[in-house]
Amino acid sequence: MADLPDYYFRVRENGAVVFRVDTENRQRRIEMDQIAVVHVKKGEIKPQGDRQLTDQDIETIQNWLTERTALLAQRDIDDIHRAVDYMNITTQWVQSNATDAQLEDVTDALLLAMHDLRSVLVRKKADRLMKANGD
């Protein structure tokens, strides 16, 4: 059997369920023992039940939490870059291919979303400029 990691992280919406992986049993079966739950945004590690986590457990979970946070941050910025691409593709579609009925269906929603986004971007840009100028 291939070497398996000592821990398995079942990713879920706000974090992960952490299992300790055991293959050192008589049947050489893979056993996964749930040891903790991790909440990424809060940075919380909650042991399962009355379990006491070892220093190795905590270190491994902390390392996963650090790596996961970095990965999610990278995905967020990638999503925004894709959104810019989608906006450009949408502009081209409106310019070249959209029918009147399709435009009627999406125009108001697009205009409101773009207005909202523009307002927030302008306000954030102004805040950054004021901060940079020491105001």
Side-chain angles (χ1 to χ4, degrees):
M1 182 178 299
D3 288 337
L4 294 174
D6 294 333
Y7 297 88
Y8 171 71
F9 295 81
R10 181 194 300 150
V11 175
R12 59 187 207 171
E13 185 73 25
N14 295 316
V17 178
V18 184
F19 296 88
R20 190 177 296 123
V21 178
D22 177 21
T23 57
E24 299 300 321
N25 53 63
R26 285 186 225 168
Q27 296 84 17
R28 296 286 294 160
R29 291 185 181 158
I30 298 171
E31 293 181 8
M32 296 189 340
D33 183 26
Q34 183 178 342
I35 62 169
V37 173
V38 181
H39 190 287
V40 172
K41 288 186 181 179
K42 294 180 183 178
E44 289 180 343
I45 300 170
K46 293 183 180 180
Q48 176 67 25
D50 294 332
R51 180 178 302 279
Q52 294 291 320
L53 298 177
T54 66
D55 290 342
Q56 181 183 353
D57 293 339
I58 293 170
E59 181 181 349
T60 300
I61 293 168
Q62 285 288 1
N63 288 341
W64 179 87
L65 187 55
T66 300
E67 291 171 9
R68 184 71 181 171
T69 301
L71 175 64
L72 293 174
Q74 182 60 47
R75 285 181 181 171
D76 280 348
I77 198 69
D78 287 347
D79 287 346
I80 300 307
H81 286 294
R82 276 192 288 283
V84 172
D85 287 348
Y86 289 139
M87 288 175 66
N88 286 311
I89 290 167
T90 301
T91 302
Q92 186 60 39
W93 172 79
V94 167
Q95 182 74 36
S96 304
N97 301 327
T99 66
D100 288 345
Q102 289 171 323
L103 288 173
E104 188 63 35
D105 188 41
V106 299
T107 296
D108 290 344
L110 281 170
L111 286 172
L112 287 171
M114 290 182 333
H115 175 75
D116 185 31
L117 176 60
R118 183 184 185 285
S119 297
V120 172
L121 287 171
V122 167
R123 185 176 66 246
K124 292 287 194 172
K125 176 103 178 180
D127 291 347
R128 288 193 315 275
L129 289 173
M130 289 177 63
K131 196 181 300 182
N133 291 331
D135 293 340

